[in-house]
Amino acid sequence: MVDVAIIGSGIAGLSAALEAKAKGKSVVVVSKNYPTQSQSSMAQGGINASLDPNDSVQAHIQDTLRSSQGLASKEVVEFVCNEAPQAIAWLDSLGTPFSRKEDKIALRRLGGAKAPRACYAQDYTGLKILHTLYDNCLKEGVEFLHERFLLNVIVEDNVAKGVTLLDIRTSQVEQLLAKAVVLATGGFGKIYGAFSTNGFGSYGEGLAAAMRAGAKLSDLEFVQFHPTALAKSAILISEAARGAGAKLIDSSGKRFCNELATRDELSRAIWQKLESGEKVFLDMRELGEEFIARELPQERKLAIIYEGIDPVKEPVPIRPAAHYSMGGIDVDIDGKSSIKALFACGECANAKLHGANRLGGNSLLETVVLGRRTGGAAAEIENEVAQKEYERTKIDRNFIKAVFGLPNQIDFMDRQEFLSKLLYNNVGIIREERAMKGVLSVIRQHQRELAFMGIRDKSPLYNTELVHFLEYGNIIELAEAMVVVAIQRNESRGAHFRKDYPEQNDAFKAHSIVWKEDGVLCADFKG
Ligand SMILES: Cc1cc2nc3c(=O)[nH]c(=O)nc-3n(C[C@H](O)[C@H](O)[C@H](O)COP(=O)(O)OP(=O)(O)OC[C@H]3O[C@@H](n4cnc5c(N)ncnc54)[C@H](O)[C@@H]3O)c2cc1C
């Protein structure tokens, strides 16, 4: 038994771990891969803090609130923006190698921000922060359980007691008991499959597990599409490029939008061009080879390797791709969910910092500021946890055994690929009711077919097919919830754009909530 079990070793999980450890608690961080493989490592552009003399915390707050389209919590936005300079100082003191200009941490401007505000480490910001936090966790004696897949949260009388885990190396089910559980499992952008900038870990499994445990999820319909992913591979080309002056051009080489508008506006403008049969390109040529080599070396490499185009010489074909989930496990500013002793932070949580549209650079900031606050709050929990095998553990053990016996008459990988395309085209940048209802019935059909799917590989050792199958089960559970609330929000707001309801409607200035009662999905709106 531990004091605090943290599931997920991205920047949110590691920030929470360091804070809980600093409070003298025993802390275990669990992850289905290794910390340095977390999606946080992919973050390129930067982490926001108002450090520029022409910027202010107030401006940061205002930009964040404006972008949220009325759905952010003022309390959370003010807290996070106020804490931002201190968060950068903390990361700096731990050893994060931020890029510097004349001895000060360098800043770049990202979309929707009135000033240069994103602190960065070339275009490897997430990777450098993640490595720094991991080093510090090891130094402070945080324990790690790698290659463990979260199955479920153990809950009794609405109090979390721990989690059940699949040991990926052996396919054995284990229980990890804890006084407090923190979910930091990242977002769910990868349910859009090849149409997403996200890594293979981001299927929203923490959200699905929280929902099965009885927790509430909120604002799932708000999925951010990043305007500039590489056309062939959906790999991200960071907003840092546009912040530095790169242009968006159409097939005839003409600019057609303000490159520093918010991501939702740009994605729609690009989508409309693509739908009309044009191509869209990011033109970085004016930035020059020296600037690109110094500030954006990763972007150049990615474009050369995955698109076969050197951005120094030619415009790069791009398209929008699913990038970030604003919604998540519904939590307060301390990361508390609707289940006692169950916390969440980072992209899997919805503390209402971003509302209907996230600003670039605010997510890494959230993972650090609210990750630390959540870790601190979890460390305060004194929860009675009986040392026994819980019913949940027995059920999950039987479930895993049963998966090995499933008939595998239907290929779940085919179904997953099919669903990701449907989601991108119909529950993506531009949505409408009829098409979304069609997707919902497909998802429900997939749920009914699950018992006829299964795995070919019957080995218990490193059975990655088993892991993918479990991920797929989570995908169709979460996708159903997301599509249900997307259908119910009859308005356009931020990242949720409805062709059949193109206007914002104040009757919907509320958070969508979903939860399960006796396995049945319920949904509502709350102000
Ligand atoms: C390409 C890209 C670039 C980005 N650039 C920026 C940027 O410049 N600035 C910015 O602010 N934001 C950026 N973002 C967003 C930001 O990186 C993420 O929102 C943030 O890193 C999420 O961190 P996290 O700790 O919440 O989750 P993650 O880093 O996604 O970590 C989740 C962890 O949970 C684990 N996990 C998941 N499911 C399970 C399971 N079932 N069992 C066990 N473990 C599990 C994973 O293995 C991983 O360790 C970018 C995102 C992408 C994809």
Side-chain angles (χ1 to χ4, degrees):
M1 228 245 319
V2 288
D3 292 325
V4 183
I6 296 172
I7 319 302
S9 56
I11 294 177
L14 299 187
S15 299
L18 283 172
E19 195 65 23
K21 193 73 194 167
K23 292 199 183 289
K25 301 293 172 172
S26 58
V27 181
V28 172
V29 177
V30 176
S31 163
K32 66 178 175 179
N33 48 23
Y34 286 80
T36 46
Q37 294 162 348
S38 299
Q39 171 161 288
S40 290
S41 67
M42 297 166 79
Q44 304 161 347
I47 170 169
N48 285 343
S50 58
L51 301 177
D52 187 274
N54 297 317
D55 194 11
S56 67
V57 170
Q58 205 47 40
H60 188 182
I61 292 170
Q62 288 313 322
D63 287 343
T64 306
L65 288 174
R66 189 177 329 103
S67 174
S68 79
Q69 305 273 323
L71 282 192
S73 148
K74 200 159 175 272
E75 180 202 6
V76 172
V77 172
E78 285 177 353
F79 175 75
V80 172
C81 297
N82 272 306
E83 284 294 306
Q86 155 61 21
I88 301 300
W90 180 69
L91 290 172
D92 196 32
S93 74
L94 295 182
T96 307
F98 284 115
S99 295
R100 290 182 190 261
K101 273 194 187 130
E102 292 157 12
D103 223 24
K104 291 205 175 85
I105 291 177
L107 297 166
R108 60 166 56 126
R109 189 163 169 205
L110 301 180
K114 288 264 155 43
R117 189 179 289 147
C119 309
Y120 58 93
Q122 286 189 315
D123 50 3
Y124 295 98
T125 313
L127 184 77
K128 300 292 179 184
I129 295 175
L130 193 65
H131 279 214
T132 306
L133 294 178
Y134 186 37
D135 280 353
N136 280 274
C137 282
L138 294 176
K139 193 173 85 190
E140 298 301 331
V142 171
E143 276 182 64
F144 284 87
L145 282 178
H146 307 300
E147 299 187 297
R148 302 304 202 286
F149 185 97
L150 169 72
L151 294 171
N152 280 297
V153 183
I154 302 171
V155 175
E156 264 189 5
D157 301 325
N158 204 42
V159 183
K161 307 285 179 181
V163 289
T164 57
L165 303 170
L166 175 84
D167 185 338
I168 295 172
R169 301 163 310 174
T170 60
S171 298
Q172 294 300 306
V173 173
E174 324 168 320
Q175 65 176 20
L176 172 64
L177 302 181
K179 291 182 185 162
V181 174
V182 178
L183 296 175
T185 46
F188 59 87
K190 197 62 185 175
I191 69 174
Y192 289 85
F195 308 95
S196 167
T197 62
N198 286 196
F200 287 101
S202 302
Y203 294 114
E205 292 146 57
L207 285 82
M211 183 163 66
R212 283 194 294 275
K216 293 190 165 135
L217 312 184
S218 54
D219 296 335
L220 297 184
E221 66 275 36
F222 294 108
V223 175
Q224 178 168 79
F225 284 76
H226 198 292
T228 58
L230 293 177
K232 286 186 194 151
S233 59
I235 288 174
L236 183 79
I237 296 296
S238 166
E239 208 159 274
R242 277 176 288 125
K247 304 286 184 286
L248 285 166
I249 54 173
D250 61 17
S251 306
S252 59
K254 282 207 187 89
R255 285 178 70 194
F256 58 93
C257 55
N258 164 14
E259 285 80 0
L260 288 179
T262 50
R263 291 176 179 179
D264 55 330
E265 292 171 53
L266 285 178
S267 290
R268 279 196 294 278
I270 296 170
W271 180 261
Q272 274 152 2
K273 284 270 171 202
L274 296 175
E275 287 286 280
S276 72
E278 290 217 39
K279 285 190 174 165
V280 177
F281 302 84
L282 183 68
D283 188 353
M284 296 167 67
R285 287 173 298 179
E286 273 183 23
L287 304 185
E289 185 160 10
E290 195 217 314
F291 177 87
I292 292 175
R294 191 179 66 242
E295 301 280 318
L296 302 166
Q298 186 183 187
E299 317 299 301
R300 184 179 183 187
K301 263 188 224 151
L302 292 172
I304 291 172
I305 296 170
Y306 294 100
E307 201 68 35
I309 285 188
D310 183 349
V312 167
K313 298 182 184 142
E314 274 177 89
V316 185
I318 51 99
R319 65 181 158 106
H323 183 60
Y324 185 83
S325 2
M326 270 76 76
I329 301 162
D330 197 55
V331 293
D332 69 8
I333 193 168
D334 289 320
K336 288 185 183 152
S337 75
S338 51
I339 294 177
K340 195 165 171 251
L342 179 64
F343 295 76
C345 58
E347 197 176 330
C348 74
N350 181 19
K352 330 261 178 353
L353 172 66
H354 313 294
N357 185 41
R358 171 179 79 93
L359 279 186
N362 268 358
S363 168
L364 288 184
L365 179 62
E366 173 181 21
T367 57
V368 176
V369 172
L370 294 184
R372 292 181 75 194
R373 182 157 175 161
T374 300
E380 303 293 327
I381 293 286
E382 285 304 331
N383 178 12
E384 296 279 314
V385 181
Q387 298 273 6
K388 61 172 187 181
E389 183 164 89
Y390 282 82
E391 198 51 33
R392 182 76 257 168
T393 314
K394 291 178 195 152
I395 295 171
D396 287 352
R397 195 166 288 136
N398 288 334
F399 171 70
I400 294 296
K401 259 192 219 142
V403 171
F404 278 95
L406 287 176
N408 190 30
Q409 290 161 351
I410 299 172
D411 186 336
F412 74 88
M413 292 293 230
D414 279 352
R415 289 288 193 266
Q416 185 173 334
E417 200 186 323
F418 176 67
L419 179 61
S420 67
K421 267 188 215 147
L422 273 187
L423 288 172
Y424 184 64
N425 287 319
N426 301 294
V427 197
I429 297 158
I430 295 184
R431 306 159 170 200
E432 56 147 342
E433 180 172 327
R434 213 158 51 103
M436 288 196 287
K437 282 193 166 159
V439 177
L440 187 58
S441 57
V442 169
I443 294 170
R444 289 180 171 156
Q445 175 67 18
H446 286 202
Q447 289 175 344
R448 284 190 292 273
E449 288 172 351
L450 198 61
F452 301 96
M453 300 183 196
I455 51 176
R456 270 166 309 203
D457 181 357
K458 306 290 182 189
S459 162
L461 302 179
Y462 277 109
N463 191 328
T464 49
E465 196 185 6
L466 171 62
V467 171
H468 294 323
F469 183 72
L470 296 173
E471 287 169 343
Y472 174 68
N474 284 315
I475 291 171
I476 51 178
E477 194 167 6
L478 189 63
E480 180 192 16
M482 177 185 80
V483 178
V484 162
V485 285
I487 291 171
Q488 289 186 356
R489 184 174 285 281
N490 289 336
E491 65 154 356
S492 291
R493 187 183 293 269
H496 175 73
F497 186 86
R498 290 279 300 258
K499 201 157 74 178
D500 43 356
Y501 295 96
E503 303 299 326
Q504 194 159 305
N505 176 352
D506 270 357
F508 287 96
K509 198 173 168 196
H511 301 281
S512 67
I513 307 283
V514 284
W515 70 98
K516 283 203 163 168
E517 270 175 35
D518 298 328
V520 177
L521 186 68
C522 309
D524 202 355
F525 284 90
K526 106 174 167 194

